[in-house]
Amino acid sequence: MLKPTVGPILGHTTTHHARIFLRGDLQNNALVFAGIRYRRRGEESWSKGAFAKLEPMRDMSDVIALNDLAADTDYEYQAGWFSPMNPAHTVDSVQELPLQWPRPIHRLRTRSSEANRPRAYIVGSCRYLRMTAGVPSMPHLGDRIFASISRLAEQAKLPISALLMTGDQIYVDDLNIIAPDREFKEILQKYRAAFSQPHIAKLMASLPTYMILDDHEIEDNWPANKHKTDEHLYRNATKAYELYQASHSPAHTLSANGQLNKQLDKYWYPFTDGDIEWFVTDSRTRRNLSATDRRILDTDQEQALCDWLIHSQARVKFVVTSVMFYPDRKRLGDDAWQAFPEQRLRLLETIRTHRIKNVVFISGDVHGSLCSRLTHSEDPDFEVHTIVSSPLCNSKLLPYAKASTFILNQPLARTAAGDYRHELTGRVISQDNFAHLVVEGDRIEVNYHDRDGKLLQSSSIKLR
């Protein structure tokens, strides 16, 4: 067996289930299979292998689901791919082959079933990796920060539950002015290069990774900048996104046999980690820009989000939106929630009128990081927070956000029932960074680190 050409990437993980993405390669039109075997850490014998047949239409990649795992348990696993000599082999028959598995051993830990134990997460967005003629240009710059995240994950007293990548994991449009990438093959090359750099590959092999797309997975400021000829680009970009990012996410349901249902009808998804719940929105591909019904989330998604907010019993509710929920920008705000004020107000009013506690919006996009608190002039029980983490690696062509980038001296919204007012709870960070969130006791600690892992700033959100 050979090592995966991309991956393994550990995706959605629960108390008893884990999804692992990996890619092989073409072998002269021969059959190709990918496989995973695992064992509890400390045991000698491996499980029977779990296999998938790899197809060119999926770029020789697939996701293998491991089921019936034990909660709160460390596992080791090996992953690889091969082409059997007998062309009649099936996923079932290759289980009997005497395979020599690749030497690397990866680790995963299932979630704890203990509801109220402390949890920690890594959040980041906007990882720029320039490609020139299909080859990454100075890839170590875009990979450096993931080495720092790995060190933090290895040294932290509290295990990291998940890595949340909230948009712009790749830049399809990095050379838009000179030579825009529009073809499926070109976009796939970017994913392969971005996800196979050594530090990010090591990190994603052992830390459950959840992703959602933003505009640069398609085109800058999509769909406002969409042209009539862009349908071809959109189909190719979303197909590649589905293979490399959505494939290992909770957006895919499980079929009766415990494997993933390949059909995908939406990109947004919720998931649960003890008494913490996440709702990862698709704030990019379901937009309606018509003057009569402007929406950043489609009707079904908005309804699902509101129902989740109202009925969830989670102590903390994290809502991921790749573009900023608030504060608003002085310029270029037409790409974020600022341009959809009616829908934003509906969500805020839902939270306020139903007296929902401990809602935190997580976002990226702006190439600057900050924490902000939102209150209501006439309702002392209302409080919502936002945590912004961006970028993981900036381009020299793009500026960092600063405090002066945002509208901070006026209410976010005025209503007959009162004003929604916000304030920064720390300084705006204008450099490459990632956020380390720790939910423990009666607070959320938000720790921002630079690309070398140095602590830049800590903020605290008191839970109610």
Side-chain angles (χ1 to χ4, degrees):
M1 295 182 76
L2 301 171
K3 291 190 295 184
T5 55
V6 181
I9 298 173
L10 177 61
H12 180 44
T13 302
T14 71
T15 54
H16 61 276
H17 168 84
R19 305 176 181 191
I20 301 175
F21 167 98
L22 70 167
R23 179 183 183 272
D25 213 341
L26 289 167
Q27 288 285 78
N28 297 321
N29 295 320
L31 290 176
V32 177
F33 294 89
I36 291 172
R37 67 176 184 175
Y38 63 95
R39 65 188 178 189
R40 292 196 192 208
R41 189 175 175 188
E43 293 183 350
E44 291 189 6
S45 59
W46 292 95
S47 71
K48 195 174 182 179
F51 295 92
K53 182 182 175 183
L54 303 184
E55 304 283 358
M57 64 179 295
R58 296 184 60 84
D59 195 37
M60 304 305 289
S61 71
D62 212 328
V63 175
I64 295 176
L66 307 183
N67 297 301
D68 301 320
L69 304 176
D72 203 12
T73 301
D74 288 311
Y75 286 89
E76 298 175 330
Y77 72 95
Q78 291 176 303
W81 64 280
F82 66 99
S83 183
M85 295 181 65
N86 186 341
H89 270 300
T90 66
V91 169
D92 294 325
S93 67
V94 295
Q95 294 181 1
E96 309 303 324
L97 295 177
L99 299 171
Q100 184 173 354
W101 291 77
R103 294 183 62 183
I105 295 177
H106 311 283
R107 294 178 179 174
L108 72 86
R109 184 175 183 85
T110 52
R111 298 200 188 282
S112 171
S113 57
E114 185 180 338
N116 60 355
R117 72 184 299 173
R119 257 85 173 180
Y121 307 91
I122 300 295
V123 175
S125 65
C126 307
R127 183 275 189 102
Y128 189 81
L129 183 70
R130 170 170 287 172
M131 300 278 286
T132 303
V135 178
S137 176
M138 294 186 288
H140 60 282
L141 297 180
D143 197 39
R144 176 177 174 178
I145 199 166
F146 296 104
S148 300
I149 297 174
S150 290
R151 284 195 300 272
L152 187 150
E154 292 166 359
Q155 298 169 6
K157 292 181 181 179
L158 182 62
I160 306 298
S161 287
L163 167 65
L164 278 297
M165 302 184 75
T166 64
D168 295 343
Q169 280 68 255
I170 69 160
Y171 281 67
V172 168
D173 58 344
D174 61 344
L175 293 175
N176 243 9
I177 298 176
I178 304 170
D181 288 333
R182 306 178 67 84
E183 301 305 320
F184 189 49
K185 179 180 179 181
E186 297 168 339
I187 298 170
L188 290 175
Q189 284 182 320
K190 293 199 168 182
Y191 274 105
R192 294 174 198 157
F195 289 173
S196 62
Q197 299 305 313
H199 296 309
I200 191 174
K202 176 185 175 183
L203 180 67
M204 294 195 302
S206 60
L207 187 59
T209 302
Y210 296 81
M211 302 173 175
I212 194 67
L213 82 172
D214 199 18
D215 54 342
H216 292 290
E217 269 91 358
I218 307 168
E219 184 177 63
D220 185 36
N221 203 0
W222 182 271
N225 286 348
K226 178 181 177 181
H227 300 287
K228 293 182 180 179
T229 59
D230 281 343
E231 284 298 332
H232 178 71
L233 164 66
Y234 181 74
R235 286 193 301 270
N236 289 334
T238 53
K239 184 178 178 182
Y241 167 77
E242 290 176 7
L243 290 178
Y244 278 88
Q245 299 197 55
S247 61
H248 47 82
S249 80
H252 283 276
T253 59
L254 278 180
S255 60
N257 64 0
Q259 295 305 304
L260 270 64
N261 181 351
K262 292 296 198 300
Q263 298 298 315
L264 187 65
D265 59 0
K266 62 183 185 303
Y267 294 160
W268 53 267
Y269 56 87
F271 70 93
T272 301
D273 187 15
D275 61 358
I276 299 168
E277 291 186 6
W278 294 76
F279 194 107
V280 180
T281 68
D282 171 12
S283 56
R284 187 56 67 178
T285 73
R286 298 294 186 96
R287 297 187 180 199
N288 186 342
L289 302 182
S290 70
T292 56
D293 187 27
R294 287 183 62 83
R295 291 176 174 273
I296 194 169
L297 309 180
D298 59 290
T299 304
D300 290 345
Q301 187 177 181
E302 180 183 349
Q303 186 63 55
L305 176 55
C306 288
D307 289 344
W308 175 83
L309 286 166
I310 293 168
H311 298 296
S312 169
Q313 299 299 309
R315 186 168 63 103
V316 179
K317 301 174 182 66
F318 288 118
V319 181
V320 174
T321 166
S322 56
V323 293
M324 286 185 65
F325 194 67
Y326 78 91
D328 293 338
R329 302 176 72 174
K330 295 177 181 176
R331 296 177 58 251
L332 306 176
D334 60 342
D335 191 44
W337 281 85
Q338 179 178 359
F340 304 86
E342 294 86 1
Q343 191 172 45
R344 178 168 64 179
L345 184 57
R346 287 198 299 270
L347 286 178
L348 291 176
E349 286 289 277
T350 296
I351 295 168
R352 188 180 70 84
T353 57
H354 286 85
R355 315 193 82 75
I356 303 169
K357 309 292 186 185
N358 303 326
V359 178
V360 181
F361 287 87
I362 307 287
S363 61
D365 182 55
V366 295
H367 293 218
S369 293
L370 60 89
C371 293
S372 181
R373 175 174 175 260
L374 185 68
T375 57
H376 192 273
S377 62
E378 306 302 321
D379 189 344
D381 287 336
F382 174 85
E383 183 176 289
V384 161
H385 290 264
T386 187
I387 298 170
V388 182
S389 181
S390 169
L392 291 163
C393 179
N394 203 6
S395 164
K396 292 182 179 179
L397 302 175
L398 300 173
Y400 289 101
K402 301 176 289 187
S404 59
T405 302
F406 305 102
I407 302 170
L408 302 173
N409 60 351
Q410 63 188 56
L412 183 70
R414 297 181 185 273
T415 72
D419 296 346
Y420 285 96
R421 299 170 177 171
H422 55 90
E423 61 179 350
L424 296 180
T425 54
R427 65 182 177 87
V428 176
I429 295 172
S430 305
Q431 63 186 91
D432 292 359
N433 71 92
F434 64 91
H436 175 211
L437 313 185
V438 179
V439 185
E440 186 171 17
D442 65 347
R443 64 192 61 249
I444 303 171
E445 294 292 337
V446 185
N447 304 306
Y448 288 108
H449 297 261
D450 70 9
R451 64 185 182 184
D452 295 317
K454 179 184 176 182
L455 181 64
L456 295 171
Q457 176 176 285
S458 293
S459 298
S460 183
I461 299 171
K462 186 171 177 56
L463 299 175
R464 299 178 297 148

